[in-house]
Amino acid sequence: MNTLEAIEQRRSIRKFHDTPIPDEVMEKILRAGTLAPSGKNRQPWRFIVVGQDKRAEMVRVMREGIARSKAEGEHPGSSEWTAKVMEQAPITVCVFNEYAEQVQAPKDIGDTLMDIVDVQSVGAAIQNMLLAAQDMGIGSLWICDVFYAHEELGAWLGRTRQMIAAVSFGYPDEQPKARPRKTVAEVTQWL
Ligand SMILES: Cc1cc2nc3c(=O)[nH]c(=O)nc-3n(C[C@H](O)[C@H](O)[C@H](O)COP(=O)(O)O)c2cc1C
């Protein structure tokens, strides 16, 4: 598959077969993540791979966080639905920014700008992983609903660094149609 085909054909997948993903395939996906460009080549991404043995525990922790967020008056958004997706994905990769703390002290402008750069770099790594997965016939879901449970998941994983997202991977058990996009003309100004 060429790159443009992978970009065109990728969809967010929310139904996965239970078939495990071979370790060597996951290695290739993670390697694609590490090949992303990064500001000052800081490579801020860090990955924790949660497999089938640990996913039930991960989702239980996620649900504890969602329950806490709700008790604090937050609307859970799509997080309860996303937890169900994570429950059946063979692999979920939790993605961290090594250079930011989960609980942040106020920062000066230089550090704030560096944070923005690092988050972009981690986003590039995530997108590389999505496209590498697509190339190998593996579906993926980029997940920020983990934010409802970032304290709980961070503690469970023993990490104090900033959790940027999670990404679930598995062989797709659905073929969603392309979701709508704004046209290039709508989002672009040519000078
Ligand atoms: C930063 C980011 C966070 C996202 N978080 C979630 C999420 O928590 N749960 C979910 O079901 N989808 C999530 N998505 C997937 C989007 O809903 C999806 O990309 C969008 O609807 C377009 O659909 P497509 O990916 O199939 O083109 C996220 C996507 C991105 C890029």
Side-chain angles (χ1 to χ4, degrees):
M1 182 179 287
N2 72 33
T3 311
L4 284 179
E5 276 171 1
I7 291 170
E8 288 277 354
Q9 290 172 18
R10 184 210 56 81
R11 306 276 181 272
S12 289
I13 296 298
R14 297 184 175 87
K15 276 184 172 194
F16 297 103
H17 288 293
D18 213 31
T19 319
I21 302 175
D23 284 353
E24 57 274 21
V25 172
M26 266 327 291
E27 280 280 347
K28 282 188 183 168
I29 292 173
L30 293 160
R31 167 137 171 89
T34 65
L35 294 177
S38 63
K40 304 226 180 283
N41 202 14
R42 277 157 65 86
Q43 306 169 60
W45 43 76
R46 297 292 182 273
F47 308 121
I48 300 186
V49 180
V50 181
Q52 270 150 314
D53 294 348
K54 290 278 178 194
R55 72 180 167 187
E57 208 177 320
M58 171 186 67
V59 173
R60 181 182 54 72
V61 171
M62 167 106 170
R63 290 194 169 120
E64 279 172 19
I66 296 169
R68 176 193 45 78
S69 295
K70 277 164 85 171
E72 289 169 4
E74 257 185 86
H75 188 278
S78 55
S79 59
E80 284 159 331
W81 170 242
T82 300
K84 285 190 188 161
V85 178
M86 293 164 71
E87 204 163 31
Q88 29 105 21
I91 296 275
T92 293
V93 177
C94 297
V95 183
F96 291 84
N97 172 6
E98 179 66 6
Y99 301 129
E101 297 290 331
Q102 185 73 275
V103 180
Q104 307 236 24
K107 291 188 168 176
D108 67 24
I109 185 71
D111 286 343
T112 303
L113 291 176
M114 213 58 235
D115 272 358
I116 295 170
V117 171
D118 287 336
V119 170
Q120 290 180 59
S121 304
V122 177
I126 294 173
Q127 182 66 7
N128 266 14
M129 292 197 288
L130 266 47
L131 294 178
Q134 178 68 31
D135 184 77
M136 293 185 283
I138 291 169
S140 62
L141 182 66
W142 187 328
I143 296 167
C144 281
D145 278 336
V146 286
F147 288 167
Y148 288 91
H150 66 88
E151 288 169 36
E152 287 80 2
L153 286 168
W156 179 65
L157 293 165
R159 305 285 300 190
T160 57
R161 301 304 193 208
Q162 186 182 44
M163 194 171 187
I164 299 288
V167 188
S168 286
F169 293 100
Y171 293 96
D173 191 18
E174 62 170 353
Q175 289 187 307
K177 286 203 225 103
R179 276 94 187 192
R181 289 294 192 268
K182 296 180 175 111
T183 63
V184 173
E186 282 174 296
V187 299
T188 311
Q189 184 185 6
W190 298 68
L191 293 183

